[in-house]
Amino acid sequence: MEDPSHAVDPFDPHHLFGHVQDAPHFDVPQRLAEEGKIKVWQLSDAFEPFVDLQLMEADPNWHLAPFDLSFTKFMLLEIIAALFLVVFFIPLARKIADGSPAKGKWANMLEVLLVFIRDEVARPTIGRHDADRFLPFLWTMFFFVLGCNLLGLAPWAGSATGALATTFTLAMITFGMVLITGMARQGILGFWKALVPHMELPFVLAIFLIPMIFVLELAGLLIKHVVLAVRLLANMVAGHLVLAVLLAFILASASHIAFYGVAPVVLAGATALTLLELFVAFLQAYIFTFLSALFIGTAIHPH
Amino acid sequence: MDLPMSDRALRLTPAALSMLLCSAPAIGWASAEGAGPDPLIFDIDLAICTAIVFLLTLAVLRKFAWRPIVTGLEKREQAIADNIATAENAAEEARKLTAHYEEKLAGAADEVRAIIEEARRDAEHTGQQIVEKAHTKATEEGNRLLREVELAKNIALKEISDRATNLAVDLAGKIVQRELSPNDHAQLIQSAQTQFTRANPSDN
């Protein structure tokens, strides 16, 4: 329990979002660190922000954080997730590279996930023939997103996928993959031409309709990748926010007799929601990977 | 069309875009008026870091993990398929061999039965032949003995008749050569009798 005099309003959005969003520090119990914050080591404090902070504060519609070379919690967590992948999969690769079966629970579990992505995601969406070329990309995407999602369930850590910068970048990497593979397969012009479905139109109508449809389809292509980013972001942020709000009830009732009723209920609810979050972590990693594979498949086989 | 759902989704995306564009200022206002936190804040540093970390991870894992895993899985699949094929071939071979040997076994039983049957027939035949031969031989021997007895009897009878004839002739000659007194007569008869008796001492 925190000292009520020391705590801010537990339902203050800044406070709630502070637990979900990126920061240059980790939030830990106040007994462990001064003000409950462990600062992330910084490259350089002397770097001047590239984007003027005052300008950004003056324009609230601008959702950009400054480019200031700050090293944040989510960056560290991304690196940890990447290191987990390296530590898990390189030894597994060593074991099964010669065609011998995976031995042990851990190796088998990892392999089940790998084979699931291959057989249930990549091959049905991209096609048996081309799928295996995209497996490295899809496997990295799935496990990276999954790793970031799952780190959000670790105490005092956070989900790097709860920041738009992360999910948007991953979605744009998928978008780049779609563009490159699509243009490599159908030719640079062919790829853009394939965006417009083939229609039997009179010439006069075609002059107007086809450019319009092209613009719409182009917007659609962009939007479906942006939505890919927003879906993952919304799921991770919402899940963690709900947990934060729920736990804030304990804080709110801390100096009240209702605490003894509220705390157990909230704790049970938060436990159930954490289990749901565990499921969502896997589900969203799967959906992100599945849709990436689907977009790549569409780029390769336009019809 | 192959994917009507995704096509419909594609058609709906312009609407989604316009909604998103309309809602963006609202989010902005909210953060301006209430000075609340911005869930859509975009940190360029984090974006660059994400791109670097992801692409680096992809490159490292692609070389040291994913490629070996893909080849390993393919090798294993191939090995399993090969093993199954080999096992199926072996099973087929075994089935064929079993059928072959069963056929052979059934043939052998038949053969044994035929051999025994034949042996029995042979034995019966041989036995019968032996009996027949013995019978014939015995009959022949009997007949031969009978014939010999007959022959001996005939010879004896002939001899008897010859000797009797000779005696009669001798007697008649003697009678004719001499005038016989009654004395002589008796004497003659007596000598003839003696002679006869001497010639056939035991043959009476």
Side-chain angles (χ1 to χ4, degrees):
Chain A
M1 258 186 286
E2 286 181 44
D3 177 15
S5 64
H6 191 76
V8 288
D9 171 21
F11 293 110
D12 174 21
H14 283 286
H15 183 77
L16 292 174
F17 271 92
H19 288 290
V20 180
Q21 286 190 307
D22 198 7
H25 57 79
F26 282 85
D27 287 306
V28 294
Q30 300 206 344
R31 271 178 214 151
L32 292 183
E34 199 185 327
E35 287 185 4
K37 296 181 196 319
I38 294 179
K39 289 206 161 47
V40 180
W41 172 81
Q42 295 296 321
L43 284 169
S44 159
D45 290 333
F47 187 78
E48 281 294 313
F50 186 71
V51 179
D52 190 11
L53 262 171
Q54 284 185 335
L55 179 74
M56 289 190 4
E57 276 163 12
D59 181 12
N61 287 353
W62 195 243
H63 297 288
L64 277 178
F67 176 63
D68 52 4
L69 280 194
S70 59
F71 192 63
T72 63
K73 177 165 88 167
F74 284 0
M75 296 182 190
L76 189 61
L77 289 170
E78 279 177 1
I79 292 169
I80 290 171
L83 286 179
F84 269 126
L85 297 201
V86 168
V87 169
F88 290 161
F89 287 106
I90 290 179
L92 176 73
R94 290 245 172 85
K95 272 191 227 165
I96 68 170
D98 59 349
S100 56
K103 289 191 190 75
K105 289 174 192 166
W106 184 246
N108 269 296
M109 194 195 77
L110 292 179
E111 200 191 288
V112 162
L113 292 173
L114 289 170
V115 172
F116 174 79
I117 297 294
R118 186 189 67 176
D119 292 348
E120 308 296 328
V121 175
R123 287 184 178 170
T125 52
I126 302 177
R128 183 77 172 78
H129 182 64
D130 298 304
D132 285 13
R133 279 200 299 129
F134 296 98
L135 274 181
F137 172 74
L138 295 173
W139 278 342
T140 312
M141 188 57 93
F142 178 76
F143 286 107
F144 186 69
V145 172
L146 181 66
C148 287
N149 290 353
L150 287 180
L151 280 178
L153 297 176
W156 313 327
S159 282
T161 40
L164 184 61
T166 308
T167 60
F168 186 78
T169 308
L170 293 177
M172 284 306 113
I173 290 172
T174 296
F175 187 44
M177 197 79 181
V178 166
L179 291 184
I180 290 167
T181 54
M183 285 194 268
R185 178 59 63 96
Q186 304 168 47
I188 293 172
L189 265 178
F191 174 76
W192 298 110
K193 263 161 82 180
L195 280 181
V196 181
H198 183 72
M199 286 174 292
E200 298 289 337
L201 285 176
F203 179 71
V204 184
L205 213 56
I207 284 182
F208 290 102
L209 266 183
I210 286 179
M212 282 163 71
I213 291 171
F214 178 76
V215 170
L216 282 184
E217 294 285 354
L218 193 66
L221 185 69
L222 259 167
I223 286 166
K224 67 181 182 180
H225 288 90
V226 173
V227 167
L228 195 62
V230 172
R231 180 186 298 108
L232 179 58
L233 170 79
N235 271 282
M236 299 324 291
V237 169
H240 288 282
L241 212 54
V242 166
L243 274 176
V245 168
L246 207 57
L247 291 171
F249 277 109
I250 296 182
L251 228 58
S253 67
S255 53
H256 197 272
I257 185 73
F259 170 80
Y260 296 100
V262 168
V265 173
V266 164
L267 213 59
T271 308
L273 276 175
T274 306
L275 292 175
L276 181 71
E277 277 299 284
L278 189 63
F279 169 67
V280 169
F282 277 90
L283 181 73
Q284 289 305 319
Y286 164 71
I287 288 176
F288 196 100
T289 314
F290 186 86
L291 289 175
S292 296
L294 200 66
F295 297 159
I296 291 170
T298 316
I300 289 182
H301 316 287
H303 300 297
Chain B
M1 270 183 233
D2 287 346
L3 296 161
M5 281 302 285
S6 66
D7 267 22
R8 198 180 303 158
L10 224 65
R11 299 265 148 68
L12 286 174
T13 38
L17 176 67
S18 53
M19 277 171 67
L20 200 74
L21 288 176
C22 292
S23 64
I27 296 166
W29 275 335
S31 57
E33 284 168 9
D38 179 6
L40 288 178
I41 191 152
F42 190 92
D43 183 4
I44 301 168
D45 301 271
L46 183 58
I48 293 168
C49 175
T50 305
I52 292 170
V53 169
F54 180 82
L55 293 176
L56 210 64
T57 312
L58 176 61
V60 169
L61 289 181
R62 187 185 166 91
K63 184 158 173 28
F64 295 109
W66 304 144
R67 284 274 158 84
I69 286 173
V70 165
T71 46
L73 288 177
E74 270 167 9
K75 264 189 204 163
R76 194 193 309 165
E77 263 170 34
Q78 194 55 46
I80 289 169
D82 286 352
N83 284 347
I84 288 172
T86 315
E88 267 171 6
N89 282 346
E92 185 59 29
E93 196 80 356
R95 253 200 302 282
K96 270 187 200 156
L97 271 179
T98 311
H100 178 69
Y101 282 127
E102 265 172 8
E103 208 174 287
K104 237 180 175 177
L105 218 60
D110 282 352
E111 214 169 302
V112 165
R113 215 170 295 127
I115 288 170
I116 290 172
E117 193 61 31
E118 201 182 332
R120 193 186 295 136
R121 263 204 311 279
D122 275 3
E124 268 175 16
H125 185 68
T126 314
Q128 221 163 358
Q129 257 181 345
I130 289 168
V131 169
E132 265 169 26
K133 224 181 236 171
H135 190 70
T136 322
K137 205 113 190 216
T139 318
E140 268 174 15
E141 193 70 9
N143 288 345
R144 197 179 57 84
L145 285 174
L146 280 175
R147 268 200 311 279
E148 271 177 18
V149 168
E150 191 73 18
L151 201 64
K153 192 184 85 184
N154 288 345
I155 290 169
L157 282 175
K158 200 170 175 248
E159 221 164 274
I160 288 167
S161 96
D162 282 356
R163 201 164 293 175
T165 313
N166 285 347
L167 271 178
V169 170
D170 280 355
L171 199 60
K174 275 174 192 163
I175 293 165
V176 173
Q177 275 173 356
R178 278 199 229 168
E179 282 184 351
L180 290 173
S181 63
N183 217 11
D184 287 339
H185 200 215
Q187 223 178 336
L188 209 63
I189 289 169
Q190 208 170 348
S191 88
Q193 263 179 338
T194 320
Q195 261 180 351
F196 189 77
T197 315
R198 223 188 304 148
N200 280 304
S202 62
D203 196 13
N204 41 0

